[in-house]
Amino acid sequence: MSNKVIKVILLGDSAVGKSKLVERFMIDGFREQQQSTFAVNIFPYKAKIDGEDCDVEFWDTAGQERFNNVHPSYYDRAHACIFVFDDRQITYKNLEKWYNELQTYRKGIPSIVICNKIDLNMEATKTTFNFASKRELPLYYASAADGTNVVKAFTDALKLAKKCRDNPEKEFVDDVLELLN
Ligand code: GDP
Ligand code: MG
């Protein structure tokens, strides 16, 4: 991976829709799948972010999260993280665990949260989720199935990721707050 490539990772329990979200976002984009030795799917993507042509890689697990066993290389040099949960309470609860995992390997990178599968449960959109609000993380109610908010969430994540790549030592609170407002 070149130093210029923007790396975005997805974290969350098995079957919350991480792969489906990437697939949905990539539909109109350049698409090519590449298997690495760590059983990770890497999706290269060309994006125009804040007016600049950027090479992006979305990193998606190949199911190891089922065994709580995501390889440290997954986190290595990531520029942003997309946390995903769905209508199963346990997947929300486990965000804490994924968050701690991220802090262990890649502390402080900008992150967003996706509450996925709102097509199954519209009620979720009326809920404020503490996990996101107490950390001031942007929260998106989305559906990989019908596409609701997927582009919005990923586009915002890419903006944050680019800032992280360009200013690796910076704290991202201000940029996140800007997105929230
Ligand atoms: P992952 O393990 O987190 O990568 O989850 P997948 O992307 O493999 O999705 C798990 C299952 O949930 C699959 O059967 C998907 O079709 C389904 N799924 C994913 N996103 C949505 C969604 O937004 N709505 C609904 N109804 N099903 C979804
Ligand atoms: Mg998957």
Side-chain angles (χ1 to χ4, degrees):
M1 191 175 112
S2 118
N3 281 340
K4 289 292 280 179
V5 174
I6 292 172
K7 174 176 173 180
V8 178
I9 63 173
L10 290 100
L11 282 180
D13 280 5
S14 187
V16 293
K18 300 181 296 299
S19 302
K20 201 85 186 161
L21 283 162
V22 178
E23 192 180 299
R24 165 65 70 170
F25 181 69
M26 302 277 296
I27 278 174
D28 301 320
F30 175 70
R31 188 166 181 188
E32 182 182 292
Q33 196 167 336
Q34 173 189 328
Q35 296 277 346
S36 91
T37 45
F38 299 113
V40 170
N41 295 321
I42 300 168
F43 298 87
Y45 185 78
K46 304 259 183 208
K48 204 173 202 87
I49 311 171
D50 293 335
E52 186 188 316
D53 289 315
C54 298
D55 287 313
V56 176
E57 284 179 2
F58 291 106
W59 285 49
D60 182 28
T61 64
Q64 314 93 300
E65 72 275 27
R66 224 173 312 149
F67 315 106
N68 295 332
N69 189 22
V70 174
H71 195 276
S73 64
Y74 189 73
Y75 301 93
D76 185 41
R77 287 183 290 169
H79 298 112
C81 176
I82 300 175
F83 290 101
V84 186
F85 69 104
D86 66 13
D87 52 335
R88 293 166 297 155
Q89 179 104 40
I90 184 71
T91 69
Y92 174 67
K93 204 161 157 259
N94 281 339
L95 288 178
E96 296 281 344
K97 192 195 73 186
W98 292 116
Y99 185 83
N100 291 336
E101 187 94 348
L102 181 69
Q103 300 318 306
T104 301
Y105 293 108
R106 195 71 176 109
K107 194 172 167 50
I109 60 165
S111 303
I112 68 160
V113 185
I114 294 182
C115 169
N116 191 34
K117 306 193 188 178
I118 57 161
D119 58 293
L120 297 179
N121 178 23
M122 278 304 287
E123 287 298 302
T125 62
K126 295 179 192 151
T127 312
T128 40
F129 291 98
N130 245 333
F131 171 84
S133 54
K134 80 178 177 199
R135 298 184 175 86
E136 299 189 294
L137 302 179
L139 172 72
Y140 303 84
Y141 304 95
S143 165
D146 67 20
T148 305
N149 266 336
V150 176
V151 170
K152 170 77 178 136
F154 275 65
T155 305
D156 285 356
L158 287 177
K159 279 188 193 163
L160 292 171
K162 180 175 180 292
K163 291 204 164 87
C164 179
R165 182 199 65 179
D166 295 344
N167 307 282
E169 305 306 327
K170 197 179 144 193
E171 302 215 359
F172 299 96
V173 183
D174 291 344
D175 301 312
V176 170
L177 288 177
E178 196 182 307
L179 276 182
L180 290 172
N181 293 328

